[in-house]
Amino acid sequence: MGPARCFATRRRTKLFVASSADGDAFGATIVSGGDADLDAAAAHVADIVGRVITDDRDHPAYVGADARSEMQAHLVGVVAGLDALAARGDTAPPCSFAFVSSDPAASECVAGVWEPAAASRLRSRILSLLNAARAHREHVWVAGFDAHRLHAFGERATALAAFGSMPRP
């Protein structure tokens, strides 16, 4: 299916990722369809929320983060989102996949234009997952959103990250 047909059929999947203010948690929302602007026609697929695990490499949620920062929380959210998409095992994958982040540094890392030394394990894991996604999709894009502007799925990811950061009883 060519890019023009992909655009016309709107067979796209997007992963919106946000982090908590102190970088100890992430929120991710997966949507399908819609456009790359406000996504009014997008269908909600899944939500993912979690804490950033840095000190226990045997923990099942450890994916390579070595510090709690907004950038690393975003990257942990990308890993969780890509793992969730892979676990869904769609037999008819969308034409394209877009990772949408509110953190420019995380977007640059995922796009492969910046390799922070502090996140080398995370970046390696993400590149492996993205290569697997590319094998099933015509296009993989990296984009950003302003976490302070109205954007339904960006707001949802931001709220999930704040929820993930809340103290546990």
Side-chain angles (χ1 to χ4, degrees), residues 46-136:
D47 287 328
I48 307 157
V49 63
R51 295 236 183 213
V52 176
I53 307 297
T54 60
D55 52 358
D56 184 359
R57 292 184 183 200
D58 294 327
H59 193 284
Y62 177 78
V63 295
D66 54 13
R68 287 188 174 89
S69 68
E70 287 187 51
M71 189 230 0
Q72 290 206 31
H74 275 82
L75 297 178
V76 171
V78 171
V79 169
L82 290 171
D83 279 343
L85 285 168
R88 287 183 65 216
D90 294 337
T91 56
C95 293
S96 63
F97 167 76
F99 155 67
V100 187
S101 171
S102 63
D103 185 74
S107 295
E108 291 173 1
C109 183
V110 172
V113 297
W114 181 52
E115 186 172 347
S120 61
R121 282 188 203 96
L122 272 172
R123 187 169 185 273
S124 294
R125 177 89 184 261
I126 288 168
L127 291 178
S128 172
L129 291 167
L130 282 176
N131 286 333
R134 284 185 183 108
H136 299 287

Side-chain angles (χ1 to χ4, degrees), residues 14-17 27-31 44 46-48 153 156-157 160:
K14 293 177 208 72
L15 170 64
F16 290 84
V17 179
T29 298
I30 300 171
V31 297
H44 176 259
D47 287 328
I48 307 157
F153 293 110
R156 187 178 187 107
L160 288 166

Side-chain angles (χ1 to χ4, degrees), residues 10 19 21 23 28 35 44 52 54-55 85 91 112-113 141-142 145-146 151 161 169:
R10 295 182 180 235
S19 73
D35 61 21
H44 176 259
V52 176
T54 60
D55 52 358
L85 285 168
T91 56
V113 297
W141 286 292
V142 177
F145 71 92
D146 184 346
H151 193 290

